[in-house]
Amino acid sequence: EIYPLSLHDALPICTKKAFMHWFVDKENFKLIGQSEGKAFDDEAVVSEYRFGTKTARHMFCPDCGCNPYYVARSHPNQIDVNLRCLDNVDITKITIKDFDGRNWEKNISQIQG
C-alpha cells in the first residue's frame, strides 16, 4: 500500500472539518460512492459551497454533509481529497506535513508545485 503525504492545515474551515489534504491530478480522480442506496459515479450528486474569494469549490454530500473533496484555489488543476472520507485508508500510516493556513497568502508557495 502506498500512502500519500497529507497536509494538516491550520485554516479554520479545514481544522474544524479535520480535513486531511491529498492533492490528485483531475484526470486521476473519479468520484464513486452511494447515495440513498443508489451507486453513483457522477459529480452531479454532490453540492457545492464557495466562500471568501469564491474561487475554491468545496464539494459536499447533500445527504450526510460530508466534505470529501474540493478544488483549491492554490491547486486549480487538481482535486484536494479529504483522506478521512476514503474507505480502507489507515491514516496512521500517512506522512503529515503541517501547513499554516491561517497565514495562507504568506505560506501557499510552500505547497505549490
Side-chain angles (χ1 to χ4, degrees):
E1 295 179 47
I2 299 173
Y3 288 96
L5 169 72
S6 177
L7 293 177
H8 176 259
D9 186 357
L11 192 65
I13 190 171
C14 298
T15 300
K16 293 184 186 309
K17 291 189 292 186
F19 204 102
M20 291 186 74
H21 301 270
W22 178 42
F23 294 101
V24 178
D25 291 335
K26 283 185 177 181
E27 61 270 11
N28 295 325
F29 177 79
K30 181 168 177 73
L31 178 64
I32 56 173
Q34 186 171 309
S35 177
E36 296 181 355
K38 297 177 186 171
F40 65 80
D41 62 0
D42 184 353
E43 191 175 285
V45 300
V46 294
S47 296
E48 181 179 308
Y49 172 70
R50 295 183 188 217
F51 69 97
T53 64
K54 309 261 190 265
T55 305
R57 298 177 54 222
H58 296 260
M59 310 309 274
F60 65 94
C61 173
D63 293 333
C64 71
C66 185
N67 176 215
Y69 70 97
Y70 77 106
V71 179
R73 68 179 171 134
S74 61
H75 296 77
N77 297 318
Q78 295 181 306
I79 302 295
D80 188 352
V81 177
N82 184 351
L83 289 171
R84 294 184 189 275
C85 292
L86 299 179
D87 293 333
N88 304 314
V89 172
D90 183 351
I91 62 173
T92 65
K93 294 185 178 182
I94 296 171
T95 302
I96 298 174
K97 178 181 177 183
D98 285 332
F99 174 71
D100 182 5
R102 289 185 186 268
N103 296 297
W104 194 91
E105 298 292 342
K106 177 182 171 188
N107 295 310
I108 193 59
S109 62
Q110 295 173 13
I111 62 168
Q112 288 177 315

